[in-house]
Amino acid sequence: MPALGQMSDYEIRLIRIFQTVVECGGFTAAETTLGISRSAISQHMNDLEGRLGFSLCQRGRGGFSLTEEGKEIYQAGLTLLSALETFKSDVNALHQTIKGELNIGITDNLVTLPAMHVTHALTRLSAPEHDVTLNIHMEPSDAVIRGVMDGHMHVGVVPAVNLPTSLSTQHLYDEPSYLYCSVGHPLFDKASDRLTLDELAQHPAISPRYPLPAEARQAHDDLNLRASASDREGAAFLILTGRFMGFLPEHVADQWVSAGKMRALNTTSQHYLIPFVLIARRDRRPNRVVDAFLHFINTPQTPTPGI
C-alpha cells in the first residue's frame, strides 16, 4: 500500500479540499465553497485516494458518506492543519518577539548627552513584547574596544580614535568640547572671548590621558599642561578646584555652567569635536538581538534627552 513519504504543498491542498468536502456534506455542496467544479473536486479526491492507497468516501446515488478510513483521515487532517496553523503563528511570533541578551559597552560620561540614538534603540528593544536582557558596561574606550573584539560585548560606543580595522563602525554623533575654568580661577570673571592664547598659557591646564583625535590633541598642546586626568570626570574634578583649566564635553560641563560654577573660555577658538561611533565585529555571527538593536539605531524615533 503506497504511503505519503513526503508532504508537499500539493498534498496539503488535497487534504484541505477533502476537509471542505466532508464539512459541506458532499462534492456538489463544496463547489461554491471551494470555487472549483464538481468534476475538479472529484479528480482531486481520486488523486488523494490514490496517494493514500484506500477509498475515503462513498459518492453516488446513495449520497455522500465517509468510509472508516475516511473518518480517520479526516480527523488526522484536522490535527495536521491545526498544527500547520500553530506553526505559522509561532513563526510569525518569532518575527515579532525578540529573545536573548545584549551586552553593550559605553564610554563613561555619555548619559547626559542629548539625543543619541542608543537610548531610543534600547527603549524599543526592551519593549514588553520582547524578552531581552540588557547588560550595560560603562568602561573606558580601550576596555570597550577590547570587549567587543574578544566577544565579551556585542556592540560598543566609543570615540572614533585608533580603532582596529576588524571593527565595523557607524557614526552616531559629534560631541563638542570647550575649555572651562571654575569659580575662583583668575580668568573666571574676565571677558572669556577676548583672552589671547598667551594669556591662557599663563595658567595651569589639564592634559588628558585618554584617546583623542589629532585636532583635540593640538588644542591641548597650546596650553600650559601641569596636571593630567585619566577621564573626563577626573578633568572635571581638577577644574572645580579653581586652579586648572581643562577641556570638557559641553553636555558634561552644562550642570556646573547652569549652576554658575563653571564657564567656557574663548568658545570661538578653544573647542573641538569628537566623533562617537557604534562598533561591532565585522565577522560577528548573526544574532537576532544584535541585528534588531542595529536596525533600531538606523531607524531612530523622535529624539528625547539622553544617549
Side-chain angles (χ1 to χ4, degrees):
M1 188 178 298
L4 265 66
Q6 293 183 341
M7 183 67 68
S8 69
D9 289 343
Y10 182 64
E11 280 80 19
I12 293 173
R13 180 167 180 260
L14 293 180
I15 291 172
R16 290 188 185 279
I17 291 173
F18 174 56
Q19 179 185 7
T20 302
V21 169
V22 174
E23 293 172 354
C24 289
F27 290 12
T28 302
E31 284 184 278
T32 302
T33 302
L34 292 172
I36 57 178
S37 66
R38 186 181 186 285
S39 60
I41 294 174
S42 180
Q43 180 58 51
H44 287 315
M45 291 298 299
N46 289 336
D47 197 0
L48 180 58
E49 289 176 331
R51 288 168 180 266
L52 293 174
F54 40 70
S55 176
L56 298 177
C57 58
Q58 303 293 332
R59 55 265 201 192
R61 293 182 180 180
F64 176 85
S65 64
L66 291 176
T67 63
E68 290 301 316
E69 292 83 1
K71 293 176 183 178
E72 293 192 27
I73 291 298
Y74 173 71
Q75 293 299 325
L78 291 178
T79 301
L80 170 64
L81 296 177
S82 175
L84 286 173
E85 289 304 315
T86 299
F87 175 77
K88 282 196 268 186
S89 297
D90 289 346
V91 171
N92 290 335
L94 285 175
H95 286 286
Q96 298 171 4
T97 302
I98 304 167
K99 296 182 180 181
E101 185 175 79
L102 178 70
N103 293 307
I104 176 172
I106 301 178
T107 300
D108 299 335
N109 304 124
L110 290 186
V111 71
T112 52
L113 179 76
M116 195 170 81
H117 301 320
V118 171
T119 297
H120 313 312
L122 292 177
T123 298
R124 296 171 69 182
L125 198 59
S126 60
E129 64 267 25
H130 303 315
D131 183 14
V132 176
T133 300
L134 300 176
N135 301 310
I136 293 183
H137 306 266
M138 302 302 297
E139 303 278 0
S141 60
D142 56 348
V144 174
I145 292 170
R146 288 196 304 270
V148 173
M149 292 185 66
D150 66 20
H152 174 63
M153 302 175 191
H154 296 114
V155 293
V157 179
V158 296
V161 182
N162 301 327
L163 296 177
T165 57
S166 59
L167 297 178
S168 64
T169 63
Q170 178 178 330
H171 181 266
L172 293 175
Y173 74 101
D174 292 315
E175 178 189 71
S177 291
Y178 296 93
L179 182 64
Y180 291 92
C181 69
S182 70
V183 173
H185 192 277
L187 300 180
F188 187 80
D189 294 320
K190 292 193 175 183
S192 59
D193 282 333
R194 296 181 183 177
L195 296 169
T196 66
L197 194 56
D198 287 339
E199 288 178 292
L200 292 175
Q202 294 175 17
H203 301 275
I206 303 162
S207 174
R209 301 199 311 272
Y210 44 89
L212 288 174
E215 177 189 359
R217 287 290 175 194
Q218 181 61 48
H220 286 86
D221 290 342
D222 295 330
L223 300 177
N224 179 17
L225 303 177
R226 301 290 298 276
S228 69
S230 62
D231 55 29
R232 284 99 67 93
E233 186 174 359
F237 267 108
L238 289 171
I239 293 170
L240 288 168
T241 65
R243 305 292 186 185
F244 301 93
M245 302 178 299
F247 281 94
L248 285 178
E250 183 179 27
H251 66 92
V252 172
D254 185 62
Q255 57 181 309
W256 294 295
V257 172
S258 298
K261 295 182 178 181
M262 274 191 195
R263 70 180 303 179
L265 303 172
N266 281 27
T267 55
T268 55
S269 60
Q270 298 300 313
H271 71 275
Y272 53 80
L273 295 175
I274 299 180
F276 274 75
V277 294
L278 183 74
I279 59 173
R281 284 179 51 162
R282 292 186 185 276
D283 62 350
R284 69 178 183 86
R285 294 182 178 180
N287 181 308
R288 288 198 69 228
V289 175
V290 178
D291 292 344
F293 176 76
L294 296 176
H295 170 72
F296 293 149
I297 284 284
N298 288 317
T299 54
Q301 296 179 322
T302 303
T304 55
I307 64 167

